[in-house]
């Protein structure tokens, strides 16, 4: 691996990636992963990893198995070699892995950036079932492998049973107890034998196969079972021949599927690698950055992936937009080197197609070269060799660096005379800048801080240090040079004040001015941070108040809507109840119409009218109750003589005939009656029309938001054109009753001319109606013979 990559510890990240892989092939792919220098390819690779990450979040990751290199096994089968039981089982594992991956993909909806790999998977359940049903283990093949194998093994078992029966008889005989070492049957070289004591070997007729290690026991095959043992031997040979035939047959099937198996193996290994990358990203709480080749790096809340995520302090980092070189200063152990490694390592991880531990909005540039000089500080005695080592590395960097290079140098120019070292450092920075490279370096030199303050394209940054606690905060402050804080740290540690003052007096004027500038910058920065925090608090408080106001408004709207809905429900309930009562009245009127007894007819009509009036009054009462749910009514202006008003008690219409007195009472004419009413019981009707030279109110409202049919004033006209005679007369009677209750004196009935039946019936009913004073047909402009105008009592 590239030495620079090792310095940035990329190999440790790849070791973590290897640990996420489930098989050797994927682990080899992970181990051989190299950073890619093409932005388009990197973008594609990271997108695949991110897609695998998202898919795992939705439906979980696929199941992965430790399958072997099936491609090599398939090639062996294709070349004519007979595969072993283990190799066939390895083929089965790959086929099982393929089935699992294809099953997982069927659960995932929509397009998937790894579909090109899933399309390289071939399902062969027949071959997999054949292998799994035929092979029990790496040493044993199943009886189910073929009917012939099952038959041979059955014969072997039967022959063995017969031999055992014969030998058991010998063992159980009284004579055998003396010369048998043990009363059991054993196997030697695949043949059933008896263990006979050496001194009695002549008493058992048969073949001696072997003796025990001590020579005390002879394993003899009695002549009675020799033939049976020979038969088993022959059958064993046939069994092996059948096993060889089965293996050849299954090998031929594998050979016929060799290309698909190779494709399965390669695709499954690569799919496993992408999901291993996704799994590593999930464990790092990583995200996908924007990827470019414009030289800009933006890392938000970046964390070094090799430091415990519960302990690492996230940093914000930027390079390549307003400045190409960043000089980081600050005390030792303040985190400067960690920032260098974080920037370099996260860039390399991205170029390897990995997600990185940063927040959304981050951006990483793909560089052709990442050049690094980061080493541990050495002792004063070794300073010369340290300087030489650093210079050799810097010379190598300067030889390679170009506009597609990221250079990371720790303690540039250190290890030699500070004046000369600072001068060299400035010259090196200028050369890298001139060659177009992006540079991040750390230093303690004051000269480099001044250089960054005065030079375009070069920016200061500092690792924050808390002098009170003598601990670094590990925050990176871009735009502000850091201080070594040597005097402050020494004072906190207890060094005598006189020594510190003497040291301060030795500083040159320029150094003191720089320290003053840095102190002022730091104070300004801290004040700005406080102001930003205060502004954030104000913004959060404002947002909180805005949300509270919005919630109150929502609750008020919801309450108003509920009240309106309640009123509507009550109004609907009233209308439905009156509709039912009206239907009942229609039925009763129909019965009355059919009645032939005139006395009874008159009585029933009178009773029915009284009942109808009671129901109408009840309706007004309900409407009055409904109005109690509405908002408090306020007169839009003071009442004056001639205003049309509605009385809330009974919802009757009237006209103001005298303005309010000192007690707020108003004289109102309701029909032919005059009554005194308090203004709180009145509702002003703004609109009015003139009819027969009289001012007639049109409509009134009992509430601001809900107007019920029960609270409207009856119309001055009744249009019954198209009705039957019975329907028209029923509507006429109802209309006259409503008009009388509202105090209307003159009404118009529009019946049309037509056949004349409805007109005649209406005029006859009006002529006999007890509440009609007089009636006449309409004149020109009123509808002539198509209408009838009547005056009510």
């Amino acid at each position: 691996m590239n030495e620079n990559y090792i310095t940035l510890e990329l190999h440790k990240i790849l070791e973590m990636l290897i640990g996420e892989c489930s098989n050797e092939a994927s682990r080899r792919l992970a181990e051989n992963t190299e950073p890619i220098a093409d932005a388009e390819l990197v973008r594609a690779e990271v997108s695949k990893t991110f897609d695998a990450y998202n898919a795992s979040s939705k439906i979980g990751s696929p199941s992965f198995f430790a399958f072997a290199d099936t491609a090599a096994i398939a090639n062996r089968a294709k070349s004519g070699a007979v595969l072993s039981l283990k190799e066939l089982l390895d083929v089965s594992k790959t086929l099982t892995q393929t089935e699992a991956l294809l099953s997982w993909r069927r659960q995932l909806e929509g397009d998937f950036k790894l579909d090109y790999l899933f399309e390289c998977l071939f399902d062969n359940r027949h071959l997999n079932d054949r292998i799994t049903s035929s092979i029990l283990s790496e040493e044993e093949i199943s009886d189910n492998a073929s009917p012939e194998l099952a038959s041979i093994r059955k014969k072997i078992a039967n022959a063995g049973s017969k031999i055992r029966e014969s030998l058991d008889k010998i063992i159980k005989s009284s004579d055998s107890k003396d010369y048998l070492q043990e009363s059991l049957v054993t196997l030697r070289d695949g043949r059933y034998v008896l263990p006979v004591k050496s001194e009695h070997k002549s008493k058992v007729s048969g073949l001696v196969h072997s003796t025990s290690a001590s020579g005390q026991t002879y394993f003899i095959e009695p002549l009675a079972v020799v033939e049976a043992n020979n038969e088993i031997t022959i059958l064993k040979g046939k069994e092996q021949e059948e096993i060889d035939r089965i293996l050849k047959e299954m090998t031929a099937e594998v050979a016929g599927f060799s290309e698909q198996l190779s494709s399965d193996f390669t695709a499954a290994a690569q799919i496993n690698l992408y999901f291993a990358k996704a799994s590593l990203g999930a464990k790092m709480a990583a995200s996908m950055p924007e990827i470019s080749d414009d030289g800009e790096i933006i890392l938000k809340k970046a964390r070094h992936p090799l430091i415990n995520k519960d302990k690492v302090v996230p940093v914000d980092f930027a390079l390549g937009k307003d400045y190409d070189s960043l000089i980081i200063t600050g005390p030792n152990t303040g985190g400067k080197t960690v920032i260098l490694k974080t920037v370099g390592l996260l860039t390399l991880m991205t170029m390897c197609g990995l997600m990185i531990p940063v927040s959304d909005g981050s951006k990483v540039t793909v560089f052709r070269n990442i050049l690094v000089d980061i080493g541990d500080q050495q002792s004063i005695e070794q300073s010369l060799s340290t300087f030489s080592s650093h210079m050799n590395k810097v010379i190598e960097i300067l030889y390679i660096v170009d506009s597609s290079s990221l250079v990371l140098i720790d303690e540039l120019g250190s290890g030699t005379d500070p004046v000369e070292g600072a001068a060299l450092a400035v010259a090196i920075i200028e050369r890298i800048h001139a060659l177009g490279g992006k540079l991040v370096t750390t230093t303690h030199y004051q000269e480099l801080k001044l250089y960054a303050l005065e030079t375009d394209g070069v920016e200061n940054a500092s690792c924050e240090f808390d002098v009170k606690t003598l601990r670094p905060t590990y925050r990176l402050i871009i735009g502000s040079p850091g201080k070594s804080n040597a005097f402050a740290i020494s004072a906190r540690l207890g060094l005598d004040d006189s020594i510190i003052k003497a040291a301060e007096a030795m500083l040159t004027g320029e150094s003191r001015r720089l320290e003053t500038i840095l102190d002022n910058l730091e104070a300004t920065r801290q004040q700005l941070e406080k102001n930003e925090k205060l502004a954030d608090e104000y913004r959060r408080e404002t947002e909180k108040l805005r949300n509270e106001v919005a919630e109150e408004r929502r609750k008020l709207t919801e309450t108003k809507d509920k009240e309106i809905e309640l009123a509507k429900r009550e109004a609907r309930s009233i209308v439905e109840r009156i509709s039912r009562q009206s239907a009942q009245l229609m039925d009763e009127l129909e019965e009355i119409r059919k009645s032939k007894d005139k006395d009874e007819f008159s009585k029933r009509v009178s009773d029915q009218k009284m009942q109808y009036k009671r129901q109408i009054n009840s309706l007004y009462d309900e409407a009055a109750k409904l109005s109690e749910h509405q908002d408090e009514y306020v007169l839009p202006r003071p009442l004056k003589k001639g205003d049309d008003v509605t009385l809330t008690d009974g919802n009757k219409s009237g006209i103001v005939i005298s303005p309010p007195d000192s007690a707020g009472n108003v004289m109102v004419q309701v029909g032919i009656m005059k009554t005194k009413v308090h203004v709180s019981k009145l509702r002003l009707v703004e609109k009015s029309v003139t009819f027969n030279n009289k001012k007639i109110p049109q409509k009134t409202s009992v509430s601001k938001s809900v107007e019920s049919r029960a609270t409207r004033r009856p119309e001055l006209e009744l249009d019954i054109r198209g009705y039957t005679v019975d329907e028209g007369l029923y509507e006429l009677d109802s209309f006259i009753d409503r008009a009388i209750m509202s105090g209307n004196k003159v009404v118009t009935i529009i019946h049309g001319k037509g056949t004349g039946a409805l007109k005649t019936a209406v005029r006859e009913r009006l002529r006999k109606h007890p509440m009609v004073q007089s009636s006449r047909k309409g004149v020109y402009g009123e509808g002539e013979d198509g209408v009838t105008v009547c005056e009510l009592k």
Side-chain angles (χ1 to χ4, degrees), residues 284-518:
M284 290 181 177
S287 65
M288 175 181 172
E290 179 188 347
I291 297 164
S292 73
D293 55 1
D294 61 5
E296 185 177 4
I297 301 176
I298 301 173
L299 301 178
K300 296 185 177 181
K301 305 297 181 185
R303 306 180 304 278
H304 194 290
L306 297 177
I307 301 176
N308 188 319
K309 62 182 180 181
D310 296 326
K311 296 180 179 179
V312 65
V313 178
V315 297
D316 293 330
F317 178 90
L319 179 71
K321 185 177 181 181
D322 299 325
Y323 48 89
D324 294 330
S325 300
L326 187 67
I327 299 175
I328 304 175
T329 52
N332 291 327
T333 72
K336 301 189 301 296
T337 304
V338 172
I339 291 171
L340 286 183
K341 288 189 172 183
T342 300
V343 173
L345 182 56
L346 295 190
T347 302
L348 286 175
M349 287 174 63
T350 303
M351 293 168 64
C352 288
L354 295 168
M355 298 163 62
I356 58 175
V358 294
S359 296
D360 293 339
S362 296
K363 178 179 180 180
V364 173
T365 283
V366 174
F367 293 97
R368 185 164 50 249
N369 303 304
I370 296 182
L371 308 171
V372 181
D373 178 26
I374 299 176
D376 296 331
Q377 293 292 326
Q378 299 186 25
S379 65
I380 295 174
E381 290 80 3
Q382 295 173 317
S383 61
L384 181 60
S385 61
T386 298
F387 176 74
S388 300
S389 174
H390 282 306
M391 277 300 103
N392 285 332
K393 187 65 180 176
V394 169
I395 291 169
E396 181 183 333
I397 289 173
L398 292 175
Y399 181 77
I400 299 172
V401 67
D402 58 14
S403 60
S404 183
S405 299
L406 173 64
V407 181
L408 306 171
I409 302 178
D410 194 22
E411 299 295 348
L412 179 60
S414 64
T416 187
D417 177 78
V419 175
E420 295 180 355
L424 272 174
V426 169
I428 291 168
I429 293 172
E430 288 183 342
R431 174 58 63 86
I432 293 173
H433 182 72
L435 293 171
K438 304 296 182 289
L439 169 68
V440 185
T441 185
T442 66
T443 186
H444 286 286
Y445 292 148
Q446 299 280 35
E447 292 84 351
L448 291 186
K449 300 176 188 179
L450 286 170
Y451 172 73
L453 287 171
E454 297 170 350
T455 307
D456 291 338
V458 183
E459 184 61 86
N460 273 306
S462 61
C463 288
E464 191 178 53
F465 189 86
D466 190 337
V467 179
K468 294 180 180 178
T469 62
L470 297 182
R471 291 179 179 274
T473 66
Y474 299 105
R475 288 181 59 209
L476 180 66
I477 312 298
I478 294 179
S480 173
K483 298 176 59 180
S484 64
N485 294 298
F487 293 158
I489 293 172
S490 299
R492 290 284 296 175
L493 292 174
L495 186 64
D496 191 275
D497 287 344
S498 60
I499 297 176
I500 295 174
K501 288 179 180 179
E504 289 176 342
M506 294 179 187
L507 291 175
T508 64
E510 185 174 332
S511 296
R512 280 196 292 270
R513 284 196 302 274
L514 178 60
E515 285 296 315
T516 302
I517 292 172
L518 293 182

Side-chain angles (χ1 to χ4, degrees), residues 184-242:
L184 55 81
V185 178
T186 186
L187 281 171
R188 281 293 184 272
D189 300 325
R191 301 177 75 86
Y192 291 94
V193 297
L194 293 174
V196 180
K197 296 177 181 177
S198 59
E199 61 269 24
H200 299 295
K201 63 181 180 178
S202 59
K203 294 183 179 181
V204 180
S205 299
L207 302 175
V208 177
H209 282 275
S210 63
T211 62
S212 64
S214 63
Q216 299 298 314
T217 304
Y218 278 68
F219 296 99
I220 300 175
E221 178 184 3
L223 293 177
V225 298
V226 169
E227 281 300 320
N229 270 327
N230 288 340
E231 181 183 357
I232 289 176
T233 301
I234 293 170
L235 289 172
K236 287 282 188 181
K238 290 182 178 180
E239 177 189 29
Q240 188 58 48
E241 289 176 1
E242 179 61 15

Side-chain angles (χ1 to χ4, degrees), residues 646-710:
T646 299
L647 282 69
T648 58
D649 294 339
N651 291 292
K652 295 188 177 182
S653 301
I655 299 175
V656 176
I657 58 176
S658 69
D661 58 19
S662 58
N665 294 318
V666 179
M667 187 64 71
V668 179
Q669 181 167 350
V670 182
I672 60 173
M673 297 177 57
K674 295 181 181 179
T675 181
K676 186 174 286 188
V677 185
H678 195 271
V679 290
S680 63
K681 302 291 187 180
L682 297 176
R683 303 288 186 265
L684 177 64
V685 179
E686 293 285 7
K687 296 182 180 180
S688 63
V689 298
T690 301
F691 184 83
N692 286 349
N693 297 320
K694 293 183 179 180
K695 196 171 186 181
I696 306 297
Q698 283 186 309
K699 291 184 180 180
T700 187
S701 173
V702 298
S703 73
K704 293 181 180 178
S705 56
V706 178
E707 183 178 334
S708 170
R709 288 178 58 88

